Each structure stands twice: as structure tokens, then as C-alpha cells.
Amino acid sequence: MTPEEAYDRLVGQLTARPGVASGRMMASDGLRLGDKYFAMLHKGDLVVKLPAARVQELVGRGAGGQLTSGRRVMREWFTAPLDGPEDWRGLADEALAYARELAAG
């Protein structure tokens, strides 16, 4: 399965949930809750928004990396390869839960 196919499957599963929609973010396909994006496919990796401490934990275990934009490291955005140790569905569910937490204030 290609990253695009895996991501499309994920989009189908998550957009069935209340408040979740797909759209474009940073020239990539993204998933959002309201107007806040929490996941996207970027250069063949799943990129999810998680608390900075969780991102550091995952990076420290070698599960993936942090998203960069130019020279800027995006501390709350984790990149996971399809063949990496982390399950994309689990990461996306975790990112959605974090988005809901942020939306609740």
C-alpha cells in the first residue's frame, strides 16, 4: 500500500467523525477539526499535531521526526513514515483527541 492509499483510507475513517473534514494545508491534503488542522500527508509521511512533549518522546524513540518549515522546527508536529513503528491510525486518533482538547480550551 502506498502512503497516499493509506492516507486516503485514514481520511475516509476520520471524516466520518463529528466535526472532522478534509482540506488543504501547506500545499498538502489535511484533516481538520473546525478550522484547526491536526493531520496531513506531506512528502509521503503522515504528519500529526501532538503535544510537544509527546513529539519529543516519539522522536527520542526513533519513531519519526519533527516537521520543519525552512529553518523552523515545528515542535508540535510529528512526521511518521508509513513503514515506521507507529501506527498511522493510532497517531491520527491521538492527534484528533489533542485537537478536541485544544478546541475545548
Side-chain angles (χ1 to χ4, degrees):
M1 176 180 303
T2 68
E4 292 77 17
E5 291 168 335
Y7 183 76
D8 287 345
R9 178 183 294 174
L10 196 59
V11 168
Q13 294 167 340
L14 292 177
T15 55
R17 295 189 181 175
V20 177
S22 62
R24 299 287 290 171
M25 176 186 179
M26 295 173 54
S28 297
D29 292 326
L31 287 166
R32 60 187 168 85
L33 179 69
D35 63 348
K36 302 295 183 187
Y37 283 85
F38 65 89
M40 67 179 164
L41 183 66
H42 183 69
K43 297 182 181 178
D45 289 342
L46 178 67
V47 181
V48 291
K49 183 171 184 170
L50 299 170
R54 176 69 169 135
V55 171
Q56 288 303 310
E57 174 192 335
L58 290 164
V59 170
R61 288 191 298 140
Q66 285 182 278
L67 181 65
T68 58
S69 178
R71 294 183 188 172
R72 184 175 176 213
V73 175
M74 312 298 282
R75 63 186 187 91
E76 289 191 315
W77 289 92
F78 176 71
T79 64
L82 182 59
D83 61 354
E86 293 296 319
D87 173 64
W88 277 17
R89 175 64 189 267
L91 287 171
D93 285 341
E94 190 175 345
L96 176 55
Y98 183 51
R100 288 193 192 285
E101 181 182 316
L102 291 174

